[in-house]
Amino acid sequence: MPDASLPRDELRATIEARRDLGPEYEPALTDAFLDRIETAIAQRVKAEADSRLPDARHTAWEEQQERKRGLGLALGSLGIAIPLTAAAGATGGMPGMMVAWAGIVAVNMAYAFGRRRRD
C-alpha cells in the first residue's frame, strides 16, 4: 500500500514547481497532481478489494469439485440402486423396494439441501 505521506509530498512538490514555473503552468501541474492522487486512491481501493474478495480461480476450482462430488453421488446412487432394488424386491417385495428407494432418495435430498444451505 502506498505511503500515507505521498500526497503531502506530491502537493509540496507541485506547489514548488508552480512557484518556479509560474501561474501559466498551474492547470497542467494541478491535473498532474490530481492524476497521481487518483492513481494512489485506485491502488488503495484495489488492494482493499483484493484482500476482501475470494480468489476467482479458487472459487472456480471449488465449484468444479462440488460438481464432481454431485456427479459421483448421482452415479453411485444409480449404481447401488440396481442391486439394492433386486435384493429388496427378492426379499421384501414391493414394500422392500420402496424402503430401498426411499433411502436412496433421502441420501440424495440430504446432499442437495446441504449444498443449497452452503450456497
Side-chain angles (χ1 to χ4, degrees):
M1 189 177 280
D3 185 15
S5 65
L6 177 67
R8 294 177 203 275
D9 295 342
E10 292 283 339
L11 180 59
R12 286 187 189 110
T14 301
I15 291 171
E16 289 298 319
R18 191 229 177 247
R19 286 183 190 146
D20 292 343
L21 298 174
E24 61 272 1
Y25 287 98
E26 186 172 337
L29 291 170
T30 302
D31 288 342
F33 173 73
L34 292 176
D35 287 342
R36 289 190 297 269
I37 295 299
E38 286 175 0
T39 301
I41 290 171
Q43 288 172 348
R44 289 180 184 179
V45 168
K46 183 179 180 330
E48 182 68 23
D50 288 347
S51 71
R52 292 183 183 207
L53 295 175
D55 185 7
R57 291 173 297 182
H58 183 66
T59 303
W61 181 82
E62 285 178 344
E63 289 174 0
Q64 183 181 24
Q65 295 302 319
E66 187 67 29
R67 281 193 303 270
K68 286 181 181 179
R69 281 191 292 274
L71 179 62
L73 179 66
L75 293 176
S77 293
L78 290 174
I80 201 165
I82 294 169
L84 190 60
T85 301
T91 58
M94 182 57 82
M97 288 176 28
M98 290 175 66
V99 169
W101 274 97
I104 293 169
V105 169
V107 167
N108 283 282
M109 286 181 66
Y111 176 77
F113 285 133
R115 183 176 177 189
R116 183 181 297 174
R117 189 173 295 151
R118 281 178 287 187
D119 293 342

